[in-house]
Amino acid sequence: MGKRKRHWLWNVLIVLTLALCVLAFVEHYKNWHKIEEGNLKIFSGIYYQKIPLAELDSVLFVEKLPEMERSSGFSWMEKEKGVFNDSLTNTKVYVFVDDLYQQKIKVVHHDSLRMYVNLQDSLKTEELFAILRTELLNNKETAKGTQ
């Protein structure tokens, strides 16, 4: 008796599923960020934020994330990503944390929107913090000069 062959469509479906899983993993594997045209763009998979640097209110280093309820997102090992709700202020908080054990940058923009971010490499996180801090100070000095 001969072996029963699998239909070619199942093989294509398996390969497409595996390719989609690998793509999803690569997209969420780390935080991707870019500063261009006066905006900080940060994304990880389906989560994306575009923050005008002129709208920064504060930039701080924090050790721990506050307690929040997850609206959407995921946690995996030391990664934490998604949209959360702060139960005290009832506001949305965006989290792009690649390593929970490192310092995180807390960015407040547009008066009340918050975002926590860090990168896998702590030196890259410090570089991003320095850039954001410099932009914030430049914006405050410009605002003082126009008054």
Side-chain angles (χ1 to χ4, degrees):
M1 253 172 112
K3 285 175 103 179
R4 188 170 175 228
K5 288 186 77 173
R6 188 179 334 173
H7 193 273
W8 63 270
L9 182 63
W10 289 114
N11 291 334
V12 170
L13 188 60
I14 289 170
V15 169
L16 286 176
T17 302
L18 289 174
L20 185 65
C21 290
V22 167
L23 180 65
F25 175 76
V26 168
E27 285 288 317
H28 288 90
Y29 178 69
K30 71 176 198 169
N31 294 327
W32 306 87
H33 73 285
K34 187 188 298 187
I35 296 177
E36 66 180 13
E37 301 174 6
N39 293 307
L40 167 65
K41 298 175 183 177
I42 186 160
F43 67 96
S44 181
I46 62 171
Y47 301 103
Y48 174 79
Q49 281 287 290
K50 180 179 175 184
I51 302 169
L53 295 175
E55 297 292 329
L56 293 178
D57 294 323
S58 69
V59 177
L60 305 167
F61 262 136
V62 295
E63 292 295 324
K64 290 177 56 178
L65 292 174
E67 289 196 29
M68 301 177 283
E69 293 180 27
R70 182 186 344 264
S71 175
S72 68
F74 66 94
S75 300
W76 180 63
M77 295 174 64
E78 69 271 356
K79 296 184 185 314
E80 189 87 45
K81 304 195 180 187
V83 180
F84 292 74
N85 288 322
D86 185 347
S87 54
L88 295 177
T89 61
N90 201 22
T91 58
K92 279 187 182 180
V93 179
Y94 296 90
V95 178
F96 296 92
V97 174
D98 276 341
D99 191 347
L100 282 171
Y101 303 114
Q102 294 180 22
Q103 287 185 325
K104 295 120 195 93
I105 303 171
K106 176 183 176 183
V107 178
V108 179
H109 58 97
H110 293 97
D111 293 329
S112 64
L113 295 175
R114 289 185 293 160
M115 178 176 71
Y116 292 92
V117 62
N118 78 358
L119 307 171
Q120 288 177 336
D121 185 356
S122 62
L123 294 176
K124 297 272 187 196
T125 302
E126 289 177 12
E127 286 176 22
L128 179 60
F129 177 78
I131 292 169
L132 294 176
R133 191 76 173 167
T134 302
E135 287 291 333
L136 176 65
L137 294 175
N138 289 342
N139 292 335
K140 285 186 177 183
E141 294 212 0
T142 304
K144 282 183 183 178
T146 59
Q147 289 179 353

